[in-house]
Amino acid sequence: MSELQPPTGGVWFVGAGPGAADLITVRGRDCVAAADAILYAGSLVSPDLLSWAQPGCELADSKGMDLEQLRAWLLERATQGLTVVRLQPGDPSLYGALPEIAQPLDEAGVPVHIVPGVTSAMAAAAAAGECLTLPESTQTVIFTRVEGMTAVPSSERLSELAKHGSTLCIYLSATLLDKLSAEMLAAGRAESDPIVVVHKASWPGAESILRTDIANLAEDCYKAGITTQAMIIAGPTIGARTRSDKAESRLYDQNFSHGFRQARDSS
Ligand code: SAH
């Protein structure tokens, strides 16, 4: 049972999760079920999620809309007192144009709520059976993208970020793979450094996982027909389950005390 009472009124930005309908949160599903009107991002949101909408709920796909149309659609319905859901892929806080869509609603005094979702980086890590942090290797994950049509601040180019040696979860870059590899090499990463690409993570019957390295990324994705909807994960944790040389977390170390357990040798 969700903590939150079923929504009434306002606009609810709901993270739909990465694809599989059952990866939306319970709260997100409650919002879908309570909505009078749902504007969903049809290019990345599964239509299966709409089966939870109540009969008579107005459904519209934002795929073909520009920003003005999208804002007007939400504002018009919310100001009539309807409960409106904006259903968007993954988590709404990442690459979702939330500020520019929410601002006119804020200015009109429409209550705006955000329901988090499972972002595609997490779904991709799960699909590939990978962890993103590893003791003594990296304790940091960076969510980023290669610069394409959308500018990326120069201090955040991959050629800079990849110098840290942290895990990189790279969104929106499946068409920029040569550039991605060139920037990683410029940052000092090796051609043989492993990369996992997950295409359509969690989508039933459509998910695929490709293991490659920096040198072969573009060619291998081309051969596999991966040109869209891909999460690219690079970093020193990739493949850790198959390596014997890794440091292990102290969390479960028998000689390590913490608030819930005494170390065996701490008498
Ligand atoms: N807000 C979304 C990201 C939207 S940007 C989120 O939190 O996941 C769209 C990009 O997300 C795609 O280009 C791709 O890189 C990634 N993406 C979204 N769904 C995906 C999926 N099911 N599998 C792999 N990558 C996905």
Side-chain angles (χ1 to χ4, degrees):
M1 172 89 93
S2 170
E3 283 283 306
L4 202 70
Q5 292 305 305
T8 46
V11 175
W12 295 72
F13 289 84
V14 175
D22 60 352
L23 283 178
I24 193 171
T25 64
V26 174
R27 184 177 296 186
R29 190 182 64 185
D30 286 351
C31 288
V32 169
D36 299 309
I38 299 175
L39 183 61
Y40 61 96
S43 52
L44 284 171
V45 167
S46 167
D48 291 351
L49 287 162
L50 304 173
S51 65
W52 283 306
Q54 57 185 331
C57 174
E58 182 185 1
L59 303 174
D61 187 349
S62 61
K63 200 164 49 199
M65 294 184 181
D66 62 27
L67 183 62
E68 280 317 312
Q69 291 169 325
L70 207 145
R71 284 165 159 169
W73 196 97
L74 296 171
L75 189 63
E76 191 184 319
R77 284 151 186 84
T79 51
Q80 288 167 21
L82 300 177
T83 299
V84 182
V85 163
R86 165 68 180 146
L87 195 56
Q88 48 191 108
D91 183 85
S93 71
L94 290 166
Y95 310 110
L98 184 91
E100 56 267 48
I101 300 174
Q103 195 171 2
L105 301 167
D106 292 335
E107 287 166 2
V110 171
V112 168
H113 311 270
I114 300 171
V115 179
V118 176
T119 188
S120 44
M122 303 297 99
E130 297 288 350
C131 67
L132 304 181
T133 62
L134 199 63
E136 294 174 28
S137 188
T138 183
Q139 295 290 290
T140 305
V141 182
I142 297 175
F143 290 170
T144 190
R145 65 182 298 171
V146 176
E147 183 171 58
M149 295 238 288
T150 303
V152 171
S154 56
S155 60
E156 294 181 7
R157 300 268 157 80
L158 265 190
S159 50
E160 292 299 319
L161 293 184
K163 286 179 185 166
H164 284 276
S166 312
T167 298
L168 295 161
C169 295
I170 307 170
Y171 292 71
L172 292 160
S173 303
T175 56
L176 300 163
L177 298 176
D178 285 324
K179 189 171 177 183
L180 188 157
S181 291
E183 294 205 22
M184 300 274 274
L185 295 175
R189 298 221 182 175
E191 288 194 340
S192 59
D193 279 0
I195 295 211
V196 177
V197 180
V198 183
H199 179 236
K200 292 205 144 211
S202 88
W203 282 79
E207 176 184 278
S208 63
I209 299 161
L210 173 75
R211 291 181 183 275
T212 180
D213 58 25
I214 294 183
N216 294 295
L217 173 65
E219 193 182 339
D220 285 351
C221 283
Y222 176 75
K223 282 188 198 149
I226 299 176
T227 53
T228 55
Q229 228 177 316
M231 176 55 53
I232 298 152
I233 305 181
T237 67
I238 301 301
R241 279 166 64 181
T242 61
R243 294 201 305 264
S244 54
D245 60 346
K246 60 188 171 295
E248 292 177 353
S249 166
R250 296 196 65 207
L251 185 58
Y252 302 109
D253 187 320
Q254 63 183 29
N255 298 319
F256 184 52
S257 295
H258 56 65
F260 298 99
R261 194 190 64 222
Q262 276 298 306
R264 283 201 197 170
D265 63 356
S266 70
S267 52

